[in-house]
Amino acid sequence: MSTRFAQYLHPEKEQELADIARRLTAPGKGILAADESVSTCGKRLQEINVENTEENRRKYRELLFTADDTLGESISGVILFDETARQCDSNGTPFIKILENKGIIPGIKVDKGVVPLAGTNNECTTTGLDGLKERCDEYKSMGIHFAKWRCVLKITKFTPSYQAMIENANVLARYASICQQAGLVPIVEPEILPDGDHDLFTARRVTEEVLAFQYKALADHHLFLEGTLLKPNMVTPGQSFTGRCSTEEVAEATVQALYRTVPAAVAGIVFLSGGQGEESATVNLNAINRVPLRRPWPLTFSYGRALQASVLAAWGGKDDKIRAAQNELLKRAKANGLASIGEYKGGMEGVAGEKSLFVKDHAY
């Protein structure tokens, strides 16, 4: 006669994870995703004619992290790339320490990138589970307290397939379990790309299906939900959709998809911007927090491009523009902090304007 036994976390570790997750989703705060890989950061720098060198990447991240201390009023955590987590500012102070001094929790991207998923129609999964426990233990010892792993799904006539949904859900669940054992709060990111001409109804249906697979996998792997965050896409029509869709419709569809699939025990939901323009990402987040539907979790942001586009445009790689670039970051952070509690009134657009931040088949 066989017995079933699940190894759960110690109550003290559960309490630690829950506390970190609550701090990350404190009212009026969200997460800055500064976890671009070497190549992706290089693409951002190339747009402003700055060479992709380690020193320039370090210099740009220093610009972000050394903004005025008021940054911590709107930013609760920063997701770092491995290279960045080991770097220091020009005075030799580790970036992790700089963030801690502002009351900002350091986090880390731990996946190794997207790879093709054999036997599917151009679908993919994400690698990086090998050696993950050892890496998580090291990051925890460095003062990092949460992690992120991104999986990618696509909407076409025949996708996402059952194979892709179950594979990516299980990869994310395995990653999340390893993180929690190491004392890191896992951000679970099953991103549905905005590529395509699908309508809002299709986007909502697929989002619900993907999230249903995801939370079944997390339950199967005995995740402590109060010590997890979800990083989903907002429910929007595809980038090539030719119809019209209001902000209110996006907000309603997004919250509907979430309350139909995400358990109330989850500590919080931190949206990715999904290639939306800076202002659109803020306005949609604000509408999501005002829609008259049940919202049992904090709904905030974990933006990369939607917090950095104006920063890069204002900086342009010039030392005398650093303060102007930092002011753009503070402005965008404050705007999204207000949106996370439904109090954004507009009028805080960045210098990048409403430039589309969409990248086809976005990978990083």
Side-chain angles (χ1 to χ4, degrees):
M1 179 178 176
S2 64
T3 59
R4 299 175 63 190
F5 175 74
Q7 184 176 357
Y8 293 95
L9 297 172
H10 189 279
E12 289 184 3
K13 184 165 283 186
E14 288 187 347
Q15 185 63 52
E16 178 191 10
L17 292 168
D19 287 344
I20 294 167
R22 276 195 292 269
R23 288 173 58 200
L24 287 168
T25 55
K29 295 187 179 185
I31 296 170
L32 166 62
D35 57 332
E36 297 90 352
S37 65
V38 171
S39 61
T40 301
C41 190
K43 293 174 184 176
R44 305 280 185 268
L45 294 176
Q46 186 178 23
E47 292 172 359
I48 57 170
N49 299 312
V50 173
E51 186 181 359
N52 182 23
T53 64
E54 181 178 354
E55 174 56 21
N56 283 337
R57 294 192 297 273
R58 188 207 63 76
K59 193 173 182 179
Y60 174 59
R61 265 58 182 264
E62 178 176 350
L63 180 161
L64 296 174
F65 306 153
T66 59
D68 188 277
D69 284 350
T70 57
L71 182 65
E73 296 175 3
S74 303
I75 299 296
S76 58
V78 173
I79 309 172
L80 306 170
F81 185 62
D82 181 82
E83 174 186 77
T84 316
R86 303 177 191 280
Q87 290 175 328
C88 302
D89 71 0
S90 53
N91 295 318
T93 305
F95 285 153
I96 289 174
K97 186 66 175 176
I98 290 172
L99 294 172
E100 289 175 344
N101 289 342
K102 294 181 185 294
I104 296 172
I105 303 173
I108 190 77
K109 168 179 129 67
V110 295
D111 69 73
K112 295 292 187 179
V114 170
V115 295
L117 180 59
T120 66
N121 183 18
N122 196 34
E123 295 181 281
C124 53
T125 186
T126 306
T127 61
L129 290 174
D130 288 349
L132 180 58
K133 178 185 183 301
E134 291 74 20
R135 286 186 284 130
C136 286
D137 288 339
E138 180 190 11
Y139 290 139
K140 185 69 175 181
S141 71
M142 292 168 60
I144 289 170
H145 298 293
F146 70 102
K148 193 204 79 166
W149 181 294
R150 174 181 182 252
C151 283
V152 178
L153 298 111
K154 306 173 183 180
I155 297 180
T156 69
K157 184 176 181 180
F158 301 107
T159 66
S161 65
Y162 175 88
Q163 181 183 354
M165 287 190 288
I166 199 165
E167 160 67 14
N168 284 290
N170 278 297
V171 164
L172 279 163
R174 290 174 64 196
Y175 135 80
S177 178
I178 293 168
C179 283
Q180 288 196 335
Q181 294 293 332
L184 301 178
V185 168
I187 295 181
V188 176
E189 183 178 358
E191 178 181 0
I192 301 170
L193 294 177
D195 307 58
D197 59 0
H198 51 275
D199 60 15
L200 187 68
F201 173 80
T202 301
R204 188 189 67 188
R205 175 183 59 78
V206 173
T207 298
E208 290 175 11
E209 192 171 12
V210 167
L211 292 177
F213 273 84
Q214 187 60 68
Y215 280 95
K216 171 62 164 61
L218 292 175
D220 289 343
H221 286 75
H222 311 293
L223 266 293
F224 172 60
L225 294 182
E226 292 89 334
T228 66
L229 300 178
L230 174 68
K231 183 170 179 174
N233 51 280
M234 294 182 188
V235 177
T236 60
Q239 284 285 334
S240 302
F241 179 67
T242 56
R244 302 180 70 86
C245 186
S246 70
T247 298
E248 290 72 25
E249 289 171 322
V250 167
E252 182 176 13
T254 299
V255 176
Q256 284 177 335
L258 293 171
Y259 75 61
R260 290 170 178 172
T261 53
V262 180
V266 172
I269 295 171
V270 293
F271 291 101
L272 56 93
S273 57
Q276 300 177 79
E278 283 185 335
E279 186 68 2
S280 291
T282 306
V283 169
N284 282 335
L285 177 63
N286 191 72
I288 284 168
N289 278 287
R290 295 183 66 85
V291 70
L293 295 171
R294 289 197 310 139
R295 304 186 306 273
W297 347 255
L299 296 168
T300 186
F301 61 93
S302 177
Y303 291 165
R305 287 169 287 169
L307 279 172
Q308 297 182 51
S310 286
V311 178
L312 286 162
W315 178 45
K318 299 177 174 61
D319 289 348
D320 62 346
K321 299 294 185 182
I322 288 176
R323 180 58 62 86
Q326 291 175 330
N327 287 338
E328 288 297 322
L329 174 62
L330 294 171
K331 182 165 62 175
R332 297 312 310 152
K334 183 176 181 180
N336 284 295
L338 290 169
S340 72
I341 52 175
E343 295 183 2
Y344 180 61
K345 307 299 183 184
M348 297 177 68
E349 293 86 349
V351 297
E354 190 50 20
K355 172 187 174 183
S356 174
L357 304 176
F358 171 68
V359 177
K360 189 177 187 304
D361 292 325
H362 178 50
Y364 66 118

